[in-house]
Amino acid sequence: MATSRLLEKGDPRHQLWLTIRSVLLCRLGRPEEALADIDQLIEEGPQAARQYMARAQIHRWLGQYGRAVADCTEAIRLEEAQGQPTGWLYYHRGTPLLISGRLEEAVADYRRAYELLARITYGNMRLVVALHDLGRREEADEAMAEIRRRGTTDPWLMAIVDCLEGRMNPDRLVALADPDRLQHVCEGYYYAGEVLRLRGRGDEALAMYREAVAVGQAIDQGNYQDRLSEHELAQWRLRSYEADRGVFRVR
């Protein structure tokens, strides 16, 4: 009965409950039901960037990456119209853009996110990989040099940087991941896979991507309602490998 009252529009906690329930439904593997809740929130208004970002995450669970990009774009528009910070919104739009094959736009978003956030994030790592995939190696080197120049106090991020730059063996990166932090384990396998793929070692890269997915950490531990991009990107690499009949395409 109490839950039923929370779902009534007149209850002041109505929108909060729909938001919470949509997150729980995603974590239970029921994204279609979660999507219905967020659709209802947006239809009822007032529309807010956080609702569009929540729906973008659900579209990612459903593999609807074009819709995810559209919702991220609307969230950015709403926040920019109010003069609100949008660095993380550009950051989050990068993953569905990458998976949609819109690498140029993903590169632009990761650069914009870095400009606005003024700190090193996983977006900087994905920027380096995307530039390599576009065949823009000089720009990738410049992006890596910028990471070195800016620096970060996060030792795990720096380990990923070392691996991407060739200062650390991919197997060493995997070994450094704390086994009690499954997110780091997944990330270690994913970025090790990217390095191996870019070196033309497709079979080894494939094994790393499979391990990243097998970890089973699909949710970002830093934000309970977000997909973990590295898990999602590893799934995408595996699908791409199969679509290309067992060949990773590297420019």
Side-chain angles (χ1 to χ4, degrees), residues 97-98 101-109 111 130-131 134 136 251:
L97 282 171
L98 282 177
R102 297 160 64 176
L103 271 65
E104 294 281 4
E105 294 169 80
V107 163
D109 270 13
R111 282 179 164 156
L131 287 168
L134 287 167
R136 290 154 57 177
R251 297 191 185 191

Side-chain angles (χ1 to χ4, degrees), residues 4 6-7 18 23 26-27 38 47 78 114 142 149 165-166 194 206 208 225 240 249:
S4 297
L6 286 173
L7 292 174
L18 281 178
V23 174
C26 274
R27 298 194 72 164
I38 295 297
Q47 296 180 353
L78 288 169
Y114 175 58
E142 291 171 358
R149 186 194 69 78
E165 199 171 13
E194 291 292 60
L206 181 64
M208 290 294 186
Q225 67 179 352
S240 299
R249 300 193 182 280

